[in-house]
Amino acid sequence: MIKNVPINQFLGNSMRKSIALIIASLTQISFGAPTYIENPLSCKNVDVPSDRELREIVIGQDNWLYHRSTFNDMPTFSGDAWNGLDHFVHILSKKDIKLFIVPIPSKPSAIPSPIKYDPSNELENYIVFLSHLSKYNVGFVDLMSLSSKNDQLLSQENYYSHSDTHWTAHGARISAELVAREMLRSSQYDKIFQNLNFTTVKSSSRLDTGNLSSIINKKCEEKWESERFEEYATTESGIAGSELLSDLESPITLIGTSFSDNRRFNFAGFLSEFLRTRVLPANKSGGSIFGAMHDFLVDPNTNLPETKIIIWEFPVYYSTKTSSEFAQLSGDLLGKCRNNLYDSSIKPNKATVISPTTGNFNYFTIVFSDPLFNRFNLSIKYKDETTEDLVIDRANSTLKTSDTQFNFYPTKSINRNIDSLSIIPSGHWNKEINAAVYFCKEN
């Protein structure tokens, strides 16, 4: 078994690609449950197992702190999720938008691991994920190559924070430099870059606690040692700093999670500097990988015609098996469908079937009368008698929003016409609501 060894140190480039392609060629990949972790946090004055926040914190070697959710041995995508990504990229390309994915290695696979944890499966999943991406019309970068001793970007500074779930500003900077290196040497991005000048300076350096050690300090008698955090700010020559990443137009948008949203990391600023192009952030802390993309696509202020590249920052410990999230993102890209309205009443514990009476349709919008109705199942029947099932859970998952509107462009609808929809409330829903369903055909 491989323990705590960066990918480029245990595989040469050619061997690595060969093994990755062999693994990726398997129809189903299952690496089993995450390895048992034996080193949870303990506090003198708190019953940790009964505290939701504290029981998720794990102490590793040399007092590195981890969040339990980042120990994920399951594939990032599996099942229909790959079809969903392919569908999403297809619609982006029709709008002349290129997608570049930045898979962020999990903290346990990148730096010293806790007791009883072997990151081999995570590293294999990472290889498989990149191998699959190579089959689609997307750009991507291998940030694990930063761990190679021969890479000139490597330094003695820490890529991840000791006491936080995120990278440091140093980790964000060297990642941005590698992203820029990959993008600038690709001919598919010619004539998009602006050739502007940016300057990045250190704005502060202070001792502070990370998001994990802050929880410990708040709830436990023990006080976790502070670590030094460096912060940076990027400005464009001739442009006031406050305007740089907000109101100006740009052909590149960064979609991301808290790795990009937190100003402490300055990821969009570093990307702007190394790409010499304005990179405007549209990130969402706590909204997961799909939530930030959803918010960007449905925001009335989003200028999609101006957007030529979307850089999608993507922590690889997120995992999805279905195309449900992509069906919604693809629908968001097409926009609200406003034709062929059908009103219906959704009753608890009952499937409501809605059928368009005329025409051929392949995407639809549902608007519910109650914004709390955000967890349900959709069963789609096509005119060729095939079906597709989508599980919608906007309450606690990737698409965190109170919107009453849901746009859907299901994966199978590219070559099929919709015959009917069945809307099935989840078990907790106990009242009747109204639903307006609009059926449309993609232009």
Side-chain angles (χ1 to χ4, degrees):
M1 299 294 282
I2 302 157
K3 292 184 69 65
N4 303 323
V5 180
I7 287 177
N8 278 4
Q9 289 180 232
F10 69 81
L11 289 179
N13 285 337
S14 60
M15 183 182 294
R16 175 182 166 204
K17 290 179 181 177
S18 299
I19 292 176
L21 291 173
I22 291 171
I23 296 172
S25 67
L26 301 176
T27 55
Q28 290 294 328
I29 301 167
S30 178
F31 294 117
T35 308
Y36 179 71
I37 300 165
E38 196 180 57
N39 204 26
L41 178 72
S42 61
C43 294
K44 295 178 181 177
N45 59 323
V46 179
D47 178 25
V48 173
S50 65
D51 187 288
R52 183 180 60 85
E53 290 184 306
L54 289 175
R55 70 171 177 257
E56 296 302 312
I57 299 175
V58 176
I59 304 176
Q61 296 170 2
D62 301 321
N63 281 337
W64 281 74
L65 296 180
Y66 302 79
H67 195 275
R68 193 173 295 273
S69 65
T70 61
F71 297 89
N72 187 1
D73 289 341
M74 301 306 295
T76 303
F77 288 165
S78 59
D80 287 339
W82 284 112
N83 294 330
L85 174 64
D86 188 34
H87 196 188
F88 183 57
V89 171
H90 165 75
I91 302 178
L92 281 172
S93 63
K94 293 181 72 170
K95 293 184 174 292
D96 197 29
I97 299 174
K98 301 179 185 300
L99 183 64
F100 189 96
I101 295 180
V102 182
I104 301 178
S106 67
K107 184 176 178 180
S109 65
I111 48 93
S113 69
I115 297 172
K116 294 289 185 182
Y117 181 76
D118 188 322
S120 300
N121 285 348
E122 284 194 70
L123 294 172
E124 290 181 68
N125 282 327
Y126 182 84
I127 295 172
V128 170
F129 185 56
L130 266 59
S131 299
H132 272 292
L133 290 178
S134 67
K135 301 177 182 179
Y136 297 91
N137 188 27
V138 298
F140 63 92
V141 65
D142 178 7
L143 293 183
M144 286 297 285
S145 66
L146 292 169
S147 299
S148 170
K149 291 182 179 180
N150 297 321
D151 198 301
Q152 57 185 293
L153 292 178
L154 187 69
S155 79
Q156 297 303 311
E157 299 176 74
N158 291 324
Y159 184 84
Y160 268 97
S161 163
H162 260 79
S163 61
D164 199 282
T165 53
H166 303 97
W167 53 19
T168 61
H170 166 71
R173 181 185 67 79
I174 61 174
S175 298
E177 188 168 352
L178 190 57
V179 168
R181 179 191 295 178
E182 291 292 324
M183 295 182 72
L184 290 170
R185 71 184 183 187
S186 173
S187 60
Q188 66 173 316
Y189 306 117
D190 286 351
K191 300 180 181 179
I192 293 178
F193 301 114
Q194 297 171 318
N195 199 30
L196 302 174
N197 292 317
F198 297 85
T199 302
T200 300
V201 297
K202 186 184 294 186
S203 58
S204 70
S205 176
R206 67 178 188 274
L207 289 173
D208 205 348
T209 54
N211 60 353
L212 297 177
S213 57
S214 294
I215 295 172
I216 296 173
N217 288 352
K218 179 181 177 181
K219 297 188 175 185
C220 301
E221 288 182 357
E222 300 89 345
K223 293 299 180 183
W224 208 260
E225 183 180 352
S226 298
E227 65 177 296
R228 184 163 297 279
F229 289 92
E230 313 283 356
E231 294 188 7
Y232 296 82
T234 302
T235 56
E236 179 183 342
S237 299
I239 302 294
S242 60
E243 295 181 89
L244 172 62
L245 301 176
S246 55
D247 299 328
L248 300 177
E249 291 187 346
S250 171
I252 304 179
T253 297
L254 169 65
I255 307 290
T257 64
S258 49
F259 280 84
S260 300
D261 190 46
N262 195 316
R263 292 181 61 185
R264 173 183 282 176
F265 312 131
N266 190 46
F267 189 43
F270 288 128
L271 286 171
S272 297
E273 178 185 7
F274 293 125
L275 290 171
R276 302 191 69 186
T277 301
R278 297 184 191 115
V279 177
L280 304 187
N283 310 305
K284 184 176 185 180
S285 294
S288 191
I289 48 180
F290 294 99
M293 183 70 77
H294 166 76
D295 286 357
F296 170 72
L297 296 175
V298 300
D299 188 342
N301 297 316
T302 294
N303 188 353
L304 274 182
E306 173 74 16
T307 303
K308 299 302 178 187
I309 303 174
I310 291 177
I311 299 175
W312 201 1
E313 166 255 295
F314 208 106
V316 296
Y317 51 82
Y318 286 109
S319 180
T320 182
K321 297 181 180 180
T322 72
S323 62
S324 298
E325 289 92 345
F326 284 113
Q328 294 180 71
L329 295 183
S330 297
D332 292 337
L333 262 173
L334 293 175
K336 181 181 178 181
C337 172
R338 298 181 180 275
N339 300 322
N340 304 294
L341 170 63
Y342 294 81
D343 286 312
S344 187
S345 177
I346 310 298
K347 296 180 173 59
N349 304 313
K350 183 178 180 182
T352 300
V353 180
I354 301 171
S355 300
T357 55
T358 59
N360 293 325
F361 310 110
N362 61 1
Y363 82 101
F364 55 94
T365 292
I366 307 176
V367 182
F368 296 107
S369 60
D370 191 330
L372 296 179
F373 189 76
N374 49 24
R375 183 182 290 155
F376 54 95
N377 293 339
L378 270 176
S379 182
I380 304 163
K381 180 182 177 183
Y382 296 99
K383 291 186 177 179
D384 65 357
E385 300 297 321
T386 59
T387 61
E388 183 173 5
D389 295 319
L390 302 178
V391 178
I392 313 304
D393 188 353
R394 199 177 280 183
N396 333 297
S397 67
T398 54
L399 296 170
K400 293 185 178 179
T401 176
S402 59
D403 294 346
T404 60
Q405 176 179 314
F406 293 75
N407 303 316
F408 293 95
Y409 188 6
T411 302
K412 294 181 180 178
S413 66
I414 288 183
N415 299 313
R416 296 185 175 98
N417 293 307
I418 295 171
D419 179 72
S420 64
L421 306 178
S422 294
I423 304 174
I424 306 104
S426 65
H428 76 285
W429 191 258
N430 58 11
K431 62 180 179 179
E432 184 174 331
I433 63 167
N434 293 324
V437 181
Y438 301 82
F439 291 95
C440 285
K441 183 75 175 178
E442 181 193 5
N443 295 328

